[in-house]
Amino acid sequence: MFQQRIITGLALVALFVVIFLFSPPWLVCVVATLIILLASWEFLEMALPEQAFGDRLLCLALASLIPMAALPGRADCLTGSLFVSIFALGVRSLFSRKELRARFEELQFTLFGIFYVSFTLSHFVLLRNLEDWKPWIFFILIVTYFGDVTAFFSGTRWGRKKLSPLLSPKKTVEGALGGLLATVLAGYACKLVFFPALTSYQALWVAALLSVSGQLGDLLESLVKRSYGIKDSGALLPGHGGILDRIDSILLAGPVGYYLAILI
């Protein structure tokens, strides 16, 4: 299980790095949109399995609009596209024939899904337009992946105290601390190898924040799955669940990394 997790994680990180480094911005946007559509479909299947097909298509269309809006590299375009989603889904709920509470609950679920999947992941498209985007892409993906794997390993090996039994029975405090420590070390190593522009202090606290946001992203997806009694978000990756299961850590880490890059 641990070896499979390492191999799958490395493959995804390698794929993302190759796409970001050697593809034009439009292709990065296309790949991000495809991942967003797959992950959004999995989320809607969990939260709204009986959603009408036309409403499902509307949600997916709005989700795909957000990474396209991020392509010029302007955060205001990204937030503008999010407003379009709020406006369109809000109008749709006003003219729905469903019972009032059902309308509002569907509006909540769809808006959260678009924000949770599309809005967050689209920050990687924004990252592509920063001046120092290459080291930042490396830093975010490597540090987050390393922390995720180490948290899983240390929790399996030494974990005793449950971190959040209701959300994820297998996650432990020892695993979370092990992931945090490993992430900080990985962040310092990344600074020495390919990101000398960062000071040692910056590398350490940025890595720590990425670790925390990555683990919170993992728990947030667990909250969604446990709420509906679902083990995996999908079956796209046999033995590893769905695409949402594999990108849950970077959904929050990506935006955190982007805004830290802007801040620094």
Side-chain angles (χ1 to χ4, degrees):
M1 179 68 178
F2 181 64
Q3 292 178 336
Q4 288 181 339
R5 193 181 183 96
I6 292 179
I7 294 172
T8 304
L10 279 175
L12 286 174
V13 170
L15 176 63
F16 286 146
V17 168
V18 168
I19 290 171
F20 275 103
L21 292 186
F22 303 106
S23 300
W26 67 266
L27 185 56
V28 172
C29 182
V30 169
V31 173
T33 302
L34 178 59
I35 295 173
I36 285 170
L37 287 174
L38 292 172
S40 296
W41 179 273
E42 291 178 352
F43 175 83
L44 292 171
E45 278 292 292
M46 289 190 292
L48 297 167
E50 298 180 0
Q51 185 181 37
F53 185 69
D55 291 335
R56 180 69 57 87
L57 287 182
L58 174 61
C59 292
L60 294 177
L62 293 171
S64 65
L65 174 66
I66 296 178
M68 296 179 191
L71 185 57
R74 294 177 52 183
D76 57 342
C77 293
L78 184 71
T79 53
S81 65
L82 184 62
F83 170 74
V84 170
S85 297
I86 297 172
F87 186 88
L89 291 173
V91 171
R92 174 70 186 96
S93 66
L94 292 178
F95 293 96
S96 173
R97 295 183 178 180
K98 297 179 181 178
E99 187 266 337
L100 291 180
R101 183 162 183 169
R103 294 190 209 180
F104 185 61
E105 288 179 349
E106 183 169 346
L107 177 62
Q108 289 177 303
F109 289 138
T110 51
L111 285 177
F112 175 76
I114 287 175
F115 184 87
Y116 172 58
V117 178
S118 185
F119 181 76
T120 56
L121 201 61
S122 294
H123 281 76
F124 281 97
V125 181
L126 285 180
L127 263 168
R128 183 67 171 72
N129 291 276
L130 295 181
E131 183 178 352
D132 293 330
W133 62 270
K134 288 184 178 180
W136 275 107
I137 290 293
F138 270 117
F139 196 93
I140 293 171
L141 291 178
I142 292 175
V143 164
T144 305
Y145 162 73
F146 196 76
D148 183 48
V149 171
T150 308
F152 179 80
F153 173 76
S154 55
T156 302
R157 186 73 179 271
W158 298 292
R160 296 292 183 272
K161 184 176 178 58
K162 299 297 182 182
L163 180 65
S164 181
L166 289 178
L167 293 180
S168 186
K170 294 183 179 180
K171 287 184 173 57
T172 63
V173 173
E174 292 83 359
L177 293 176
L180 177 61
L181 177 60
T183 301
V184 171
L185 294 176
Y188 187 72
C190 288
K191 174 260 183 302
L192 295 177
V193 175
F194 58 80
F195 210 168
L198 280 182
T199 66
S200 297
Y201 175 73
Q202 288 172 335
L204 294 177
W205 68 260
V206 169
L209 289 176
L210 288 175
S211 175
V212 172
S213 60
Q215 294 192 49
L216 288 176
D218 196 344
L219 287 173
L220 186 56
E221 199 224 356
S222 295
L223 171 62
V224 176
K225 292 190 295 185
R226 300 296 174 187
S227 297
Y228 297 99
I230 297 172
K231 182 178 183 295
D232 296 320
S233 65
L236 183 64
L237 303 172
H240 298 281
I243 189 69
L244 194 56
D245 293 320
R246 299 277 65 84
I247 66 170
D248 54 1
S249 296
I250 65 172
L251 287 179
L252 295 186
V256 168
Y258 173 78
Y259 294 115
L260 287 176
I262 297 295
L263 178 64
I264 291 176

